[in-house]
Amino acid sequence: MSLKRKVLELKKRRDQVLLGGGEKAIEKQVAMGKLTARERILALLDKESFHEYDMFVEHEARDFDMDKKILHGDGVIIGTGTVYGAPICIFAQDFTVAGGSLGLMHARKITKIMDHAMKLRVPLIGINDSGGARIQEGVNSLAGYGEIFFRNTAASGVIPQISVILGPCAGGAVYSPALTDFVFMVDNISKMFITGPEVIKTVLGEEISMEDLGGARVHSEITGNAHFFATSELECFDQIKKLITFIPWNNSKKALAFAPKKPKSKYKIESIVPGDPKLPYDIRDVIRAVVDDSDFFEVQEYWAANIVIGFGRINGETVGFVANQPLVLAGVLDVDSSDKAARFVRYCDAFDIPLVTFVDLPGYLPGVDQEHAGVIRHGAKLLYAYSEATVPKTTVIIRKAYGGGYIAMCSRHLRADFVFAWPGAEIAVMGPEGAANIIFRKEIMEAEDPEKMRKQKIKEYKDKFANPYVAAAKGYVDAVIDPEETRKLLVHAIQVSKDKTVYTPNKKHGIPPF
Ligand code: HXC
């Protein structure tokens, strides 16, 4: 056979694989409002950058008539490409081929591209759309998942791992995304759960739809499993692309720097925060007032909204922001917000992204619910994460910094490199009202006019402690600053911290309060 004819045969073979599970299955996929696996890869990656491998891999299963079935590519596409020029490794499960179910060869393709990503030190993107373990392949499928989970863990903190849920992701399959850094979900398309509605009906007698059990909204608002919520696949791909611009390709590189830009003039930092400490405001406006082009890329926007986390740039360089949100629950720390912030701090630390923390909180949320939900254990995660982090850490105390909240939000004592406070900052063991009620209880009770006495004592306490100068006098705060100086000082802090070096004691690893 001439080479020309061999090339023609190659094209024919390729075309067959490109049909995936066939026209009918593709029609069903489209009818569900979903793109096909290949369309997804092409929409996400830079034009003509995608190169596919292992397209002729075949499954080896023989039981249950599997020997009669041709499963093109064994239901998963793997390859390399670029996103805005950044090299990446990618896999996308093809639901049109046996429901994207994971058999032995399917798993081997995924682990091969994961190993590639680790060797090449580039981000890994996994698009999940699968009925889970291929039932006909038994323990081989389970082995496949185990191999994936092991690699997810080994790669954690070395290369960015991004999971995209674009269909079902059920049973043990959910644990691979859960081990990765960022999970993207799309309304009405993504479904993620351990036990499906059928099992729940059988075991518990309860009826629930897949969407209500584990749809994108559930995981973005209630469980916190999803980091990004989109209303369409294309919007989701735009979010992934934007994330890639903010993070480094691996843990020995810095995120690419951009040309510095000033914040937009509509965000006037001096007029965002109300003078009355009881009035709320949107902390994201403060972040927008200091980041380049006022472009703040929020992570986990809809879950534990009493704390805000996300990326922005200061003078062209990526920074991770953690900030209390006075708009929600007065910005208190609780079980979920501690978890959310702690994990983000660890992400930034692993990938050499400097941290900026904005503080305005009345402390930890009191109550039986929180105590019984383990606020001690969860709250400790944040202390651990900040203490452990060796990236440059800058803290700005905007208004309230009370009690344990003051310490936990990257105080000097957890080794913030720079701590700045606005003149309206109140740094104390607790709010003036609570403090006066406790330490002056006797005087208040015995006074002729207890209300008048209470007000007088609150004022006394406020005058003494509800300001930044007591902390500044001890050097816990490095400088009390005019709010308008905030960006200038952040630019400076990040610039002078570039070669920050911290010597940590030799140990295998710590034991954080997971
Ligand atoms: C083999 C599967 C499959 C699976 C789907 N298919 N899931 N084949 N193993 N796990 C096949 C179907 O037989 C069908 O093949 C095709 O994929 C499309 O599936 P449909 O059911 O027609 O699609 P749809 O109606 O959209 O429903 C999708 C679904 C449903 C909700 C995902 O297929 C489903 O419930 N599947 C089983 C899910 C599950 O229980 N998986 C195992 C979880 S246990 P044909 O040939 O008819 O087109 C698990 C353990 C892992 O994953 C533990 C790791 C630690």
Side-chain angles (χ1 to χ4, degrees):
M1 211 194 285
S2 70
L3 184 59
K4 214 169 171 184
R5 284 190 63 184
K6 283 184 181 168
V7 170
L8 279 175
E9 192 204 328
L10 167 66
K11 280 193 180 137
K12 219 166 106 189
R13 281 175 182 255
R14 275 186 183 168
D15 286 346
Q16 272 172 353
V17 174
L18 293 180
L19 279 177
E23 262 173 44
K24 248 183 156 176
I26 291 175
E27 268 169 28
K28 196 176 156 195
Q29 178 89 349
V30 174
M32 286 191 282
K34 302 196 307 189
L35 296 174
T36 64
R38 272 199 180 73
E39 285 169 343
R40 285 166 172 166
I41 291 175
L42 297 182
L44 176 57
L45 301 192
D46 295 338
K47 226 174 160 193
E48 292 179 13
S49 74
F50 179 60
H51 293 280
E52 182 173 347
Y53 314 116
D54 283 357
M55 75 190 302
F56 300 126
V57 157
E58 290 174 10
H59 72 83
E60 295 166 356
R62 294 291 167 260
D63 299 328
F64 305 106
D65 285 342
M66 284 298 283
D67 46 343
K68 298 189 187 94
K69 285 193 180 163
I70 296 170
L71 303 180
H72 289 306
D74 208 27
V76 64
I77 299 166
I78 64 166
T80 47
T82 59
V83 171
Y84 289 140
I88 57 109
C89 285
I90 190 165
F91 71 84
Q93 294 179 309
D94 184 349
F95 193 81
T96 70
V97 179
S101 56
L102 184 137
L104 178 69
M105 296 311 289
H106 180 120
R108 281 207 185 142
K109 284 179 72 171
I110 293 179
T111 53
K112 182 172 177 178
I113 203 68
M114 292 177 89
D115 291 344
H116 247 67
M118 274 294 267
K119 256 186 301 181
L120 307 178
R121 290 282 192 270
V122 300
L124 173 78
I125 301 176
I127 301 181
N128 296 260
D129 185 2
S130 163
R134 189 172 296 151
I135 294 161
Q136 300 91 327
E137 295 202 32
V139 70
N140 272 330
S141 309
L142 302 182
Y145 276 118
E147 292 291 332
I148 293 169
F149 301 160
F150 179 83
R151 284 169 175 81
N152 283 136
T153 308
S156 180
V158 181
I159 53 168
Q161 298 184 83
I162 292 168
S163 294
V164 198
I165 316 297
L166 294 180
C169 180
V174 298
Y175 285 114
S176 174
L179 287 166
T180 62
D181 305 330
F182 298 104
V183 176
F184 289 76
M185 294 185 80
V186 176
D187 204 15
N188 294 318
I189 286 180
S190 318
K191 286 148 189 59
M192 208 180 174
F193 40 76
I194 299 266
T195 48
E198 285 301 321
V199 178
I200 290 178
K201 199 173 157 192
T202 314
V203 178
L204 302 171
E206 288 169 16
E207 297 229 14
I208 188 161
S209 69
M210 276 205 250
E211 194 63 32
D212 289 340
L213 180 63
R217 280 182 198 276
V218 169
H219 288 302
S220 305
E221 293 171 13
I222 301 173
T223 69
N225 285 329
H227 298 80
F228 294 94
F229 170 88
T231 52
S232 71
E233 294 196 26
L234 293 182
E235 187 195 355
C236 170
F237 298 152
D238 282 343
Q239 292 172 340
I240 297 168
K241 288 187 212 175
K242 184 154 184 177
L243 174 68
I244 299 263
T245 68
F246 277 108
I247 58 178
W249 303 348
N250 60 53
N251 69 340
S252 55
K253 269 199 150 51
K254 289 290 287 181
L256 286 185
F258 278 56
K261 273 187 178 174
K262 284 202 166 113
K264 290 186 173 135
S265 56
K266 72 171 177 173
Y267 295 103
K268 298 207 173 359
I269 199 158
E270 67 283 5
S271 49
I272 296 168
V273 180
D276 181 348
K278 288 201 175 73
L279 291 180
Y281 62 95
D282 191 343
I283 190 70
R284 292 173 298 189
D285 287 341
V286 174
I287 299 174
R288 290 183 189 114
V290 298
V291 292
D292 291 16
D293 207 24
S294 300
D295 184 11
F296 175 54
F297 188 52
E298 192 169 352
V299 177
Q300 287 179 311
E301 182 178 351
Y302 305 107
W303 179 61
N306 40 326
I307 206 150
V308 167
I309 57 171
F311 300 107
R313 290 190 186 87
I314 298 268
N315 226 22
E317 305 219 11
T318 296
V319 169
F321 286 89
V322 179
N324 308 118
Q325 173 57 291
L327 267 190
V328 181
L329 294 170
V332 287
L333 280 174
D334 58 6
V335 166
D336 286 344
S337 62
S338 301
D339 273 10
K340 173 175 165 180
R343 190 161 192 270
F344 186 70
V345 167
R346 293 197 98 200
Y347 181 85
C348 291
D349 190 46
F351 287 100
D352 202 13
I353 296 172
L355 283 160
V356 169
T357 304
F358 284 119
V359 186
D360 188 352
L361 85 163
Y364 279 91
L365 181 62
V368 179
D369 286 353
Q370 282 294 307
E371 296 290 348
H372 289 190
V375 69
I376 298 173
R377 182 164 49 87
H378 293 279
K381 293 179 192 177
L382 189 56
L383 300 172
Y384 194 105
Y386 268 131
S387 301
E388 179 193 48
T390 57
V391 285
K393 298 185 282 197
T394 305
T395 301
V396 183
I397 302 172
I398 290 181
R399 232 172 31 173
K400 285 170 269 182
Y402 294 155
Y406 155 71
I407 306 171
M409 290 300 290
C410 202
S411 59
R412 158 65 22 82
H413 324 293
L414 305 190
R415 302 295 180 269
D417 301 300
F418 296 100
V419 181
F420 304 122
W422 287 11
E426 300 180 4
I427 304 166
V429 172
M430 60 170 72
E433 287 80 6
N437 281 341
I438 293 171
I439 57 176
F440 303 118
R441 188 169 48 197
K442 230 172 153 193
E443 286 98 320
I444 294 171
M445 264 168 55
E446 288 167 3
E448 237 172 68
D449 183 345
E451 253 333 285
K452 197 172 155 199
M453 179 63 88
R454 188 190 318 274
K455 279 188 182 143
Q456 187 190 317
K457 291 296 177 191
I458 290 172
K459 188 176 175 312
E460 255 178 50
Y461 188 86
K462 234 177 178 166
D463 291 346
K464 177 91 186 130
F465 288 118
N467 63 64
Y469 299 105
V470 181
K474 294 278 181 289
Y476 302 148
V477 162
D478 298 311
V480 181
I481 62 168
D482 181 336
E484 289 182 41
E485 295 171 319
T486 307
R487 178 173 155 95
K488 196 173 72 181
L489 279 158
L490 290 178
V491 169
H492 179 74
I494 288 159
Q495 194 182 19
V496 297
S497 312
K498 279 215 165 102
D499 288 325
K500 178 184 173 185
T501 308
V502 175
Y503 297 99
T504 46
N506 186 25
K507 59 179 162 181
K508 188 172 175 192
H509 56 67
I511 304 147
F514 285 170

